[in-house]
Amino acid sequence: MIYYVDQKAGRGGNGSKERPFQYLSEAAEIAQPGDEVLAAPGIYREYVNPKRGGTPEKPIVYRSVQPLGAVITGAEQVKNWVHYEGSVWMVKISNGLFGSYNPYKTIIAGDWYRALDDYHTGEVYLNGKSLYEAPSLDMVLHPEIDRRSWDPDFTIYKWFTRQDGDYTVIYANFQGADPNKENVEINVRRNCFYPDKTGVGYITLSGFAVKQAATTWAPPTAYQEGMVGPHWSKGWVIEDCEISHSKCSGISLGKYLQPENENKWSTKLVKDGTQTERDAICQAQREGWTKETIGSHIVRRCNIHDCGQTGIVGHLGGVFSVIEDNHIHHINNKQNLAGAEIGGIKMHAAIDVVIRRNHFHHCTRGLWLDWQAQGTRVTQNLFHDNVPPKGTEIADSLALAEDIFIEVSHGPTLIDNNIMLSQCACRVSTQGIAFVHNLIAGSFTWVGAGTDNGGVDFATPRYTPYHVPHRTEIAGFMTILHGDARFYNNIFIQQEARKDLEDYAESVGMGKEVQFVCGTKPYDGYPDADTYFAQFTPEAAIDHAGKGRDIFYDHLPIYTGGNAYFNGAEPCDTEQNFQMDKEHEIFVKLEQKGEEYYLSTNVYEYLEKSSCGFVCTETLGEAFEPEQRFESADGTPILFDKDYYGRKHTLSPIAGPFAEESIVLPLEVSRV
């Protein structure tokens, strides 16, 4: 059955082509497995709550007949502004408009949320761009530039809200614009396309623009919502959409509500957040979190931008998913929201998740894989400009950011054939990782650090779970020993370190953890495999008798081969079979031309054949704790014989993400 929807249609339609529904929610009430809902171009100011899902063979498909022509928005236009003073206007809105959820009464809060001021989930938009909330009316009347923002000039466009009986009052400084003539909107709805119950699976959302929802903070120990999302179900496809301007998260592949464990750390205060997260994971396991019931979603070819917390968020609910060919950019640029749950993508428990061919840039952190990045593969992505711009006032240590952050996971986590150009390439507070055939122009930070819980007088290690390979069932818990890291056939190119970032790291006491030397140098002192495993022979065990069990808690080994170092990038002290060029000056330049990006570099003029040849699953071995190979989600081995573009390497491969026959400059790298 095909149902037609047209926002311009009159009331009383029946969903036929001749008499279409006026609202998508009308179709969402009656759509059955195998049905298709076709939306004509228009602005749909409504919350779409799919009543039922489809089946693997018969999904329910919601499609915009004109790509991005159908717009689902959580905002309403406001045209009754009254001039207040100077360039400030005021509007008074009946709270009846908001129903049971008033974004201008709802303060953003939750576990790991650390903003300096209180902010509401509401938002004010001038011609599609969100203004900055101020904590007082005086700051709206006399606005000052906020240097924390990545767009400081716009920070003088401010708004303030208060309650007046049954009314919400909003004051906004439009800097000379007349809000009754311009397009001024405010957030009204909490979600845009999102079922209010769990288990509504196998839905496809295709070709819509979705924007401007008053979403709440989405930590892993709470109900995780987004403007769009499957709400703890299976088999969704979100494709060819533009997802933008969510107050917190754009797409959620996250956790369902556990009432007794909802933001337990920040509300009940007694148990630490790490413990409540372990509780949440085990509860989900008891309550049906399995491969058969949850996850296996696809997010592809979407333009995801200008969200306050994350472009895509998920804990537990995103397992076995594929996130591919998306453009993810300008996330958390306002810097008003802060805390430990921010990034272009922020996923916990990305079990067997494939993140490929995406373009991450201008985000407070491109990709954050936190806890249980097991069987996760990050491949063929472009990362750049995921640290604060020059001149930005860095508000907190997490805002310094990087292309990728892998945290307290046991792996296997595979990072291959990526281009990583930000000053900080990867924060590595983890183990069980492999970097293969990447071009890396930034540093590794927090190596061997950042995995405890901040204790002063007591040891506070974080024990995190690992799982049965390619399943959700928990196999065990263990703290992070660090190491268990593999680096093969990567190109490391040192770029000039930014002094402002170095100075900030020193000023907050992180000069050791946040360093700017490109290469594996932070792994100095880590054992190689032969040295490490020699401790565990029967003879060595006798030697250790009576000396405690420290050998079981020492750093794990690292494995290297075929890496190439340029411009002063440095290998670690146990590096094997590497190329180091100290003679030539190497440049790497990324340029935007229109909507495309091009990479130019002279590194291939000096790059030698790899000294370790082809890398494969056998080369990488097993991640130590889960005893799982670096392999595909279906358990088949991987041979790294293809490059960033999917082109085959020659029989004598070179390091980096491009096969030898691909050396034609400039190289087109944009995927969206």
Side-chain angles (χ1 to χ4, degrees), residues 77 138 240 257 277 299 343 379 392 426 446 489 546 577 641 660:
Q77 280 190 317
D138 185 67
D240 301 308
L257 176 64
E277 187 166 344
V299 180
T379 182
T392 301
C426 190
W446 291 87
N489 285 357
N577 302 321
D641 63 342
E660 187 172 19

Side-chain angles (χ1 to χ4, degrees), residues 1 43 158 185 317 355 378 452 455 469 536 561 577 594 647 666:
M1 185 76 176
I43 299 177
K158 295 189 188 294
E185 301 167 283
I355 300 169
V378 180
D452 63 12
F536 300 97
N577 302 321
R647 300 169 182 170

Side-chain angles (χ1 to χ4, degrees), residues 118 128 216 323-324 328 348 355 426 470 515 596:
D118 287 339
T216 57
I323 301 172
E324 61 184 4
I328 303 173
H348 289 74
I355 300 169
C426 190
H470 311 300
Q515 59 85 44
E596 303 295 335

Side-chain angles (χ1 to χ4, degrees), residues 132 172 193 197 374 413 561 592 595 609:
Y132 287 70
F193 191 98
K197 62 182 181 181
Q374 182 168 335
T413 308
Q592 184 176 1
E595 295 184 358
K609 301 292 185 183

Side-chain angles (χ1 to χ4, degrees), residues 13-236:
N14 60 12
S16 65
K17 193 171 185 178
E18 295 74 23
R19 296 179 57 208
F21 290 131
Q22 188 177 12
Y23 294 102
L24 287 160
S25 52
E26 295 177 87
E29 277 289 316
I30 63 174
Q32 301 287 333
D35 288 347
E36 186 172 16
V37 178
L38 298 180
I43 299 177
Y44 295 84
R45 298 186 186 274
E46 59 176 311
Y47 163 46
V48 184
N49 178 14
K51 187 173 182 179
R52 64 186 60 81
T55 67
E57 298 78 21
K58 295 181 177 182
I60 299 177
V61 178
Y62 295 79
R63 190 183 310 280
S64 173
V65 296
Q66 175 185 309
L68 306 183
V71 179
I72 307 173
T73 176
E76 294 287 344
Q77 280 190 317
V78 180
K79 289 294 186 183
N80 58 330
W81 293 89
V82 176
H83 183 254
Y84 182 74
E85 180 182 321
S87 55
V88 176
W89 296 68
M90 183 268 285
V91 69
K92 198 171 184 179
I93 301 167
S94 170
N95 285 341
L97 173 68
F98 305 111
S100 61
Y101 179 81
N102 185 337
Y104 304 91
K105 289 183 178 180
T106 307
I107 297 291
I108 297 174
D111 292 351
W112 290 282
Y113 181 67
R114 299 168 185 162
L116 297 178
D117 297 304
D118 287 339
Y119 295 102
H120 294 86
T121 58
E123 200 72 284
V124 179
Y125 303 92
L126 173 62
N127 297 324
K129 190 168 183 176
S130 62
L131 278 64
Y132 287 70
E133 184 176 2
S136 70
L137 177 57
D138 185 67
M139 293 180 69
V140 176
L141 291 166
H142 308 287
E144 295 181 356
I145 289 177
D146 187 345
R147 296 294 177 188
R148 295 175 300 173
S149 171
W150 292 20
D151 182 15
D153 290 344
F154 198 74
T155 61
I156 58 174
Y157 289 77
K158 295 189 188 294
W159 64 274
F160 169 74
T161 188
R162 65 178 178 86
Q163 293 297 308
D164 181 8
D166 293 330
Y167 291 87
T168 290
V169 182
I170 300 174
Y171 304 85
N173 192 329
F174 295 107
Q175 295 297 326
D178 184 340
N180 294 319
K181 294 180 180 178
E182 306 294 336
N183 179 26
V184 175
E185 301 167 283
I186 64 168
N187 277 355
V188 172
R189 287 169 288 278
R190 184 169 178 169
N191 312 107
C192 289
F193 191 98
Y194 195 93
D196 66 358
K197 62 182 181 181
T198 62
V200 182
Y202 300 103
I203 285 178
T204 295
L205 185 72
S206 182
F208 287 84
V210 187
K211 61 182 183 178
Q212 298 169 318
T215 49
T216 57
W217 185 250
T221 49
Y223 166 55
Q224 287 187 309
E225 66 173 3
M227 286 197 304
V228 177
H231 194 182
W232 201 249
S233 64
K234 188 172 180 180
W236 274 46

Side-chain angles (χ1 to χ4, degrees), residues 448-557:
T451 59
D452 63 12
N453 245 2
V456 176
D457 296 323
F458 301 102
T460 54
R462 282 191 282 177
Y463 285 82
T464 60
Y466 52 94
H467 299 262
V468 174
H470 311 300
R471 299 287 306 177
T472 60
E473 289 81 5
I474 296 170
F477 289 83
M478 186 54 186
T479 187
I480 302 299
L481 305 179
H482 301 284
D484 193 22
R486 297 139 184 87
F487 303 95
Y488 289 103
N489 285 357
N490 301 287
I491 297 174
F492 294 97
I493 303 174
Q494 179 72 53
Q495 59 181 304
E496 183 179 353
R498 277 176 45 189
K499 190 174 186 306
D500 61 325
L501 300 183
E502 291 181 320
D503 289 346
Y504 175 78
E506 288 290 342
S507 72
V508 295
M510 299 190 314
K512 181 179 179 182
E513 291 84 0
V514 183
Q515 59 85 44
F516 296 91
V517 175
C518 182
T520 59
K521 183 68 174 175
Y523 283 93
D524 275 0
Y526 282 70
D528 60 22
D530 290 342
T531 302
Y532 180 80
F533 288 108
Q535 303 174 92
F536 300 97
T537 63
E539 296 77 14
I542 294 173
D543 291 340
H544 282 285
K547 297 181 181 179
R549 294 176 178 166
D550 287 350
I551 61 169
F552 298 104
Y553 294 89
D554 201 355
H555 289 335
L556 297 167

Side-chain angles (χ1 to χ4, degrees), residues 359 382 595-598 644-645 667-672:
H359 183 183
L382 168 63
E595 295 184 358
E596 303 295 335
Y597 285 77
Y598 294 84
Y644 177 90
Y645 289 114
L667 292 168
E668 182 183 328
V669 294
S670 180
R671 289 291 176 176
V672 177

